[in-house]
Each structure stands twice: as structure tokens, then as C-alpha cells.
Amino acid sequence: MTTAKRDTYTPETLLSVAVQVFIERGYDGTSMEHLSKAAGISKSSIYHHVAGKEELLRRAVSRALDGLFGILGEEPARVGRAVERLEYVVRRMVEVLITELPYVTLLLRVRGNTDTERWALERRRDFDHRVAELLRAAAADGDVRGDVEVRLATRLVFGMINSMVEWYRPDGRGVSEREAADAVVQLVFSGLRKQH
Amino acid sequence: MTTAKRDTYTPETLLSVAVQVFIERGYDGTSMEHLSKAAGISKSSIYHHVAGKEELLRRAVSRALDGLFGILGEEPARVGRAVERLEYVVRRMVEVLITELPYVTLLLRVRGNTDTERWALERRRDFDHRVAELLRAAAADGDVRGDVEVRLATRLVFGMINSMVEWYRPDGRGVSEREAADAVVQLVFSGLRKQH
């Protein structure tokens, strides 16, 4: 078994094991020994793939960040009225969170003790600002309510979406990706959008 | 200084120090030694007040749970149309979260490894169910939208409120309790309430 695993090991499977261990033990509490045991390969085999655990963290949070920033490059996020672009981004954020659940979970737990963690936090803030800008533009268009301050509203909306990592399980028995995305969009937008 | 501290130490101040340490280190990662250092009193002085760290945890999460369950006993949460009672409960949840910030933060981080943690998780679930029941009643009255499933909506609303522990700081420079409560109620209810 161990030999078979060793033969088929790829940087991709190593990353997915590492993310689980980081989530369970916390990044600080994870040693190369823990990673080696969980992956069922030797430490030297891990070092064959990556320079160390910080590289695994960087790859893992990059996957989540690439998913999120990728949304902003998609046409419906770039073209059209700000409120429609915002709605698209919120829906896609839920979808990316579900598709990349362990990676986004890890990203949201990053606290900033290493360069990689500080870099990840900064990228998260950049993303938050980009979404806040969209909300501000939608408010300027008169399409969303003006009585909730933009930064506060952004935080609350991100809070609602990000809290899904605490309970969402993609096991096919619970809430589907579509139901979750619809529910978030309904709750957020019938709240944010002015009723005409 | 240490002597002065020792003289004025009360179970209340010990609890508030313990909660900070539990939040920083995690409950599992906190030893009586850590608590003794943080409080500036000897371990035997701590044992004079409590049987051990689990009793401190129980007192701390009880304070948060008493705050939350207390809401349900207040008259506006008991009398009137379900949707109005729900709105009152949501507003008061934000207020209790802010007033008891460290205690609610700790409650939300409890994971369930000890009897006290399992008990706290069960009490949290009870509270969630009570709020979900209110939402169900409001839906039955036709006062909230029917296109988002009750359990999912409850989770998302709790997610929005609970996420405040990640960023809310009661330092007087940021968002006031009133602004936060207003914003949550606005976002949640213009989303949940049917537009006539």
C-alpha cells in the first residue's frame, strides 16, 4: 500500500493532504513529521516536491485566492451595471467557496505569523476592497440602499458567505451548491437592493 | 503590583483573564500554568476560586449563553407577531455579542472535546432551534419570504451575526453597537421580509 501510494504521489495529492492537516492542527501546530505521517510518505519524499511546509501553505492559499480573483476577471463581473456585477460576484464567491472548500477554509484561518500568511491576508484584503468598490459603485448608481455604510455592509456580507465553511459539507445529502448560492443572493440582495 | 493584584482578585477578574487566554491559545492549548502566569497569581490561588480550567470554561460560556437565552425571555421576544419578535431577537443578538464579546467569541470557538464543550454546543444548537422556530412561524404568517429554506436561512443569518466576533472591536473608534445592530437588521430583514 505504502509503495503504491508512493508511486502515484503527485504534488496535487500531497497538497490536498497537507491542507487537511493544516485545518485540523492549525498551520503553526503542523510539523513535517505530521505531514509525512498523514501522507504516508517519507519526509525526504515531501522535500522532493516542496521546499517545506510554508510552500505547501502558499500553494494551498494561492489556490483559494486564484479562485476568488478569477471571479473578478470573468465577463459578468467586468461588464454591466455595478449592482448586477456585484450580484454575479457574490454568487460566484459562494460557488468558489464550495468548489475549493478546504482551500478557502484554510485561507480564512490564516492569522499572519509568517511571510506567506501576511501575504495571504493582504491578498484577502485586496479582494475585500475590490468587492467593496463594486458595492460603492452600485450605491452611487442608486441601485443599493444608502443607509448601511459600505465597509460595514461588505463585512457583514463576507461574514455570511465565509461562515459557510463552518457547516457546508459537499456530501450530496445537504444543501446543494445551487441552493446555497441562490439563498445567499436572495438574502443579500433583497436586503441591499432598493425596492422600486 | 503582584501583591496588590492578589489582594483584589475576584472570580470575575480571573474569569475575564482566563477567557482571553482561552481565545489566544485555544482551550486545549491552555494549561493552569498559562492561566496562573496571565493572571499573575499562583495556581493554588486559582484553585481557591475554581476546581480547574474546565470550570472556568463553563462559567465563561455560561455567561454568553445566559445572555443569548435571556433575550428569548424578554417581552418583545415573547409577545407579538413572529416577524417582529424575530427582528427583536436578531437586534438583541448583535447587542449581546458586542456586550459579551470575549465570552461569545469563546462560545463560538468551542469544539466539543470535553463534557463542558459538548454541553455548550448543545445549548448553542437549542438556541439556534429556538430562532429557527421563530423564523418558521414568521414564514407561516406569510411575513417572510418562502423561497429560502428555514434552516439554511437561519444558518446564514447566524453566520452574518457571529462573524462579527472576527472584526468587531469596542474601542469607540469603529462601528457603534447601534450602527452594527441597525445594519444587521436592515440587511437581514429587507431580505427576509416579503415586500408588499
Side-chain angles (χ1 to χ4, degrees), chain A residues 111 145 147-148 152-153 155-157 159-160 163-164 166-167 175 179-180 183-184 186-188 190-192 195, chain B residues 111 145 147-148 152-153 155-157 159-160 163-164 166-167 175 179-180 183-184 186-188 190-192 195:
Chain A
R111 281 296 168 264
R145 58 193 315 144
D147 60 350
V148 178
L152 178 52
R155 278 180 155 154
L156 292 171
V157 170
M160 178 184 279
S163 72
M164 291 181 60
E166 301 296 331
W167 59 265
V175 177
E179 286 169 318
V184 169
Q186 294 287 13
L187 281 182
V188 168
S190 302
L192 287 173
Q195 302 300 326
Chain B
R111 280 297 167 265
R145 59 196 312 145
D147 60 351
V148 177
L152 179 51
R155 278 179 156 155
L156 292 171
V157 170
M160 178 183 279
S163 71
M164 291 181 61
E166 302 296 331
W167 59 266
V175 178
E179 285 168 320
V184 169
Q186 294 287 11
L187 282 181
V188 168
S190 303
L192 287 173
Q195 302 300 326

Side-chain angles (χ1 to χ4, degrees), chain A residues 37-69:
Chain A
K37 274 196 184 146
I41 59 176
S42 67
K43 280 197 266 184
S44 66
S45 298
I46 297 182
Y47 284 120
H48 174 73
H49 291 297
V50 291
K53 70 169 190 165
E54 193 165 348
E55 185 179 334
L56 284 165
L57 179 69
R58 178 177 275 263
R59 288 193 191 181
V61 296
S62 290
R63 182 157 157 174
L65 288 163
D66 289 350
L68 292 170
F69 277 96

Side-chain angles (χ1 to χ4, degrees), chain A residues 90 93-94 97 156-165 184, chain B residues 156:
Chain A
V90 166
M93 279 176 67
V94 176
L97 178 139
L156 292 171
V157 170
F158 272 82
M160 178 184 279
I161 297 172
N162 291 343
S163 72
M164 291 181 60
V165 303
V184 169
Chain B
L156 292 171

